[in-house]
């Protein structure tokens, strides 16, 4: 980040040399419960893996803002993600029809982590209604996380009548 840079119309501004850091590379496969490869799964590496009900179109923007890296598996279920940080992160996978994988820890370090296998498990759903003093509570955030871990969070909000549904609960 460079601050106090003044740009003038019609003139070139030299900001000097930009040195890029390679980042690490994660490779692996996504499989279903029977061990078969899953094509078209989205694999994400991030400090926190988020899923928001009704925000599918916005997830790419959210991932970009949070520094997440992602890739889609090929016909053999294989993927490669480059540019993952040297700090501890998590790797997860999700397929719209076949489910979501339990996140795996990616330890901090400078070397590329070893290849991983992410096994999908099916989705469940959670439906409910939130009330406050007997009245529907709208706009309440509902979260679904794995027991004992905040690595993966699914989020929904209650409607005006206080109801909510998490269609991809794990």
């Amino acid at each position: 980040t460079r601050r106090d840079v003044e740009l003038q119309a019609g003139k070139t501004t030299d900001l000097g040399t930009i040195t890029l850091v390679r980042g690490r590379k994660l490779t692996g496969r996504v499989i279903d419960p029977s061990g078969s490869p899953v094509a078209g799964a989205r694999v994400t590496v991030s400090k926190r893996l988020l899923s928001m009900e009704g925000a599918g179109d916005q997830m790419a923007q959210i991932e970009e803002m949070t520094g997440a890296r992602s890739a889609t598996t090929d016909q053999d279920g294989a993927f490669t993600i480059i540019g993952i940080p040297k700090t501890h992160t998590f790797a997860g996978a999700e397929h719209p029809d076949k489910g979501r994988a339990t996140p795996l820890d990616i330890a901090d370090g400078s070397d590329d982590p070893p290849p991983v296998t992410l096994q999908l498990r099916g989705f469940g759903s959670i439906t409910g209604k939130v009330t406050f003093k007997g009245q529907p509570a709208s706009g309440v955030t509902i979260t679904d996380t794995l027991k004992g871990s905040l690595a993966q969070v699914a989020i929904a909000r209650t409607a005006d009548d206080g109801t909510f549904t998490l269609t991809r609960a794990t």
Side-chain angles (χ1 to χ4, degrees):
T1 302
R2 295 271 315 254
R3 303 200 188 287
D4 301 323
V5 174
E6 188 175 322
L7 302 177
Q8 296 178 5
K11 293 187 176 181
T12 300
T13 302
D14 184 354
L15 297 177
T17 301
I18 298 173
T19 304
L20 300 178
V21 178
R22 176 185 172 271
R24 299 189 295 164
K25 177 173 66 173
L26 178 67
T27 60
R29 295 182 64 222
V30 176
I31 59 173
D32 67 15
S34 70
S36 298
V38 176
R42 184 169 177 84
V43 180
T44 305
V45 175
S46 184
K47 289 194 178 291
R48 177 144 311 134
L49 303 169
L50 298 175
S51 174
M52 292 189 205
E53 288 289 326
D57 298 344
Q58 300 166 329
M59 287 310 298
Q61 293 172 338
I62 292 168
E63 287 177 0
E64 185 176 324
M65 289 186 313
T66 61
R69 298 284 185 253
S70 62
T72 302
T73 57
D74 65 16
Q75 68 278 1
D76 297 321
F79 68 89
T80 299
I81 299 177
I82 58 172
I84 65 171
K86 294 179 181 181
T87 57
H88 176 263
T89 58
F90 296 97
E94 184 171 324
H95 186 277
D97 303 321
K98 298 183 179 186
R100 185 179 294 136
T102 300
L104 297 178
D105 284 299
I106 305 299
D108 49 351
S110 298
D111 296 332
D112 293 342
V116 298
T117 299
L118 296 161
Q119 184 174 7
L120 300 181
R121 51 196 167 89
F123 294 116
S125 64
I126 302 171
T127 302
K129 182 174 184 176
V130 178
T131 60
F132 180 71
K133 295 185 179 181
Q135 298 300 311
S138 66
V140 175
T141 301
I142 307 298
T143 60
D144 170 38
T145 61
L146 294 170
K147 185 175 183 177
S149 172
L150 292 177
Q152 189 172 56
V153 180
I155 301 169
R157 292 183 85 70
T158 58
D160 290 341
D161 65 356
T163 61
F164 70 91
T165 300
L166 281 160
T167 58
R168 293 181 175 185
T170 49

